[in-house]
Amino acid sequence: MHINVKCESYPIQGQFRISRGTKTAAEVLVCEISHNSHIGRGECVPYARYGETLGEVEAAIRGYEIADCEDPKQARDLLQTKMKRGAARNALDCALWDLEAKLSGKHFHQLAHMPPPRPLETAFTLSLDTPEAMADAARGASSRPILKIKLGGPDDIACMHAVVANAPSSRIIIDANEAWHEEDLPKFMREAAHLDVSLIEQPLPAGNDQILANMPHPVPICADESAHCSQDIAKLTDRYDYVNIKLDKTGGLTEAFKMHAEAKRLGFGIMVGCMVGTSLAMAPAIHLAQDADYVDLDGPLLLAKDRSPALHYFGNTVSPPETRLWG
């Protein structure tokens, strides 16, 4: 087996802004693993919040030793012990699953002993902006059944009201990306409950979320930056109601399924989310999200242009990937 990796850039429609900053393009890495004339592919999005850079992740993928493995399954099993979780392992893990499917002539769901995947309804994300701009964005997206709004600025309550007023039929998820402060949290929670918000994602910084164990949750709270892998789940039981599973955090689909099982065992609701990437990054996650309570796999909808072949989105419904894309 041989590894190749390349960096690709996809412009975002307008800009994507959260509390930590603004992006105008999705910078992704595509890992290709070839064996016996077949190529398996996986995509990852290195994330600065977790200390990752494009160059370092590319070097980690390119330098990973895989030539001596007999088959993709053996390589995938070794990968879990030899590489730490994160974007590099995600790209390798997903590429190995794709390669195994191609070599065996089976679909991924058959390899994983799952039913055939079905189309899913995904949330659609509105970037952090002024209340006026978010009102306009909500009005334009008001036909979408689930909107996820990025908050973490000085006008968060006004932004909440602006979105709800202009998308009255949509269910609303709030994502603060760790930007709220303990002293403001009760006020934000009360206002979100008053507006019938469905879910609040990662309101406080990871590692500083103890207060969540000692306050009411009038709106359910979802862990994102606080939840990376299956070993994280048990310590979150008194703080969160849901966990957001992302392949770039878990280090691939293999660990993501373990995290999913552990979260379900401990009574958490499940969200399956993504970084801003192309259809190749979303495709494996669609299999993971088949029984998720919330699906947030809208990365390609935020791009000016997706890769080809691509997933098929019909409004907020995304169909399972064709085998020529992944799996």
Side-chain angles (χ1 to χ4, degrees):
M1 284 182 280
H2 174 73
I3 295 174
N4 183 45
V5 61
K6 53 188 177 181
C7 180
E8 298 177 347
S9 180
Y10 294 84
I12 291 171
Q13 295 187 55
Q15 61 182 21
F16 182 76
R17 183 184 177 202
I18 67 172
S19 60
R20 281 190 289 269
T22 302
K23 295 176 65 171
T24 57
E27 307 289 343
V28 309
L29 291 170
V30 176
C31 171
E32 297 180 338
I33 304 179
S34 57
H35 184 61
N36 291 347
S37 76
H38 291 282
I39 298 176
R41 298 188 305 157
E43 178 183 310
C44 70
V45 182
Y47 199 35
R49 166 66 179 81
Y50 304 131
E52 297 176 331
T53 68
L54 277 168
E56 290 169 349
V57 172
E58 180 179 358
I61 296 171
R62 196 179 298 279
Y64 187 72
E65 293 294 332
I66 201 171
D68 293 336
C69 293
E70 296 180 0
D71 57 56
K73 184 179 185 307
Q74 181 194 30
R76 200 172 62 247
D77 291 342
L78 287 172
L79 180 65
Q80 308 308 306
T81 61
K82 289 182 174 292
M83 182 176 280
K84 66 180 181 179
R85 58 173 171 74
R89 196 177 78 182
N90 175 35
L92 286 160
D93 184 75
C94 289
L96 287 165
W97 274 113
D98 188 38
L99 179 61
E100 184 177 354
K102 288 179 168 61
L103 289 170
S104 67
K106 295 181 178 180
H107 295 283
F108 169 79
H109 72 268
Q110 295 172 310
L111 296 177
H113 307 291
M114 297 172 64
R118 58 183 177 82
L120 300 171
E121 183 179 78
T122 179
F124 180 77
T125 303
L126 303 184
S127 289
L128 173 65
D129 212 319
T130 64
E132 295 76 19
M134 294 190 76
D136 289 342
R139 197 175 304 116
S142 60
S143 64
R144 297 183 182 272
I146 308 174
L147 296 179
K148 177 172 173 174
I149 64 173
K150 295 291 189 177
L151 296 182
D155 301 310
D156 279 353
I157 288 179
C159 289
M160 289 185 211
H161 281 267
V163 170
V164 170
N166 286 279
S169 298
S170 303
R171 298 167 63 196
I172 304 298
I173 301 169
I174 288 172
D175 187 2
N177 287 111
E178 304 181 277
W180 287 353
H181 301 285
E182 288 185 21
E183 59 270 23
D184 297 321
L185 185 57
K187 173 182 64 178
F188 288 141
M189 291 282 285
R190 287 193 301 270
E191 202 66 28
H194 172 71
L195 293 171
D196 201 26
V197 167
S198 296
L199 191 70
I200 294 175
E201 192 176 344
Q202 198 69 41
L204 299 173
N208 190 33
D209 53 6
Q210 301 88 343
I211 188 177
L212 297 177
N214 301 309
M215 65 177 297
H217 293 192
V219 177
I221 304 176
C222 180
D224 182 2
E225 286 87 347
S226 291
H228 290 255
C229 60
S230 54
Q231 289 85 355
D232 293 337
I233 302 299
K235 66 186 180 184
L236 304 178
T237 53
D238 62 344
R239 303 176 191 181
Y240 294 94
D241 309 290
Y242 289 77
V243 293
N244 187 346
I245 305 174
K246 294 178 179 175
L247 301 186
D248 278 312
K249 290 190 302 179
T250 65
L253 201 53
T254 302
E255 173 59 26
F257 274 109
K258 294 178 182 177
M259 183 176 179
H260 180 284
E262 180 68 357
K264 295 285 280 188
R265 185 184 73 83
L266 292 173
F268 286 94
I270 303 291
M271 174 187 280
V272 173
C274 65
M275 307 302 186
V276 183
T278 78
S279 284
L280 181 57
M282 308 300 125
I286 285 177
H287 293 275
L288 177 69
Q290 286 296 299
D291 67 347
D293 301 283
Y294 291 96
V295 177
D296 182 25
L297 298 177
D298 65 340
L301 296 177
L302 306 176
L303 302 178
K305 185 178 180 181
D306 195 4
R307 71 170 63 250
S308 179
L311 292 170
H312 298 292
Y313 286 86
F314 304 92
N316 271 54
T317 300
V318 56
S319 295
E322 299 175 3
T323 54
R324 62 196 185 108
L325 173 62
W326 189 89

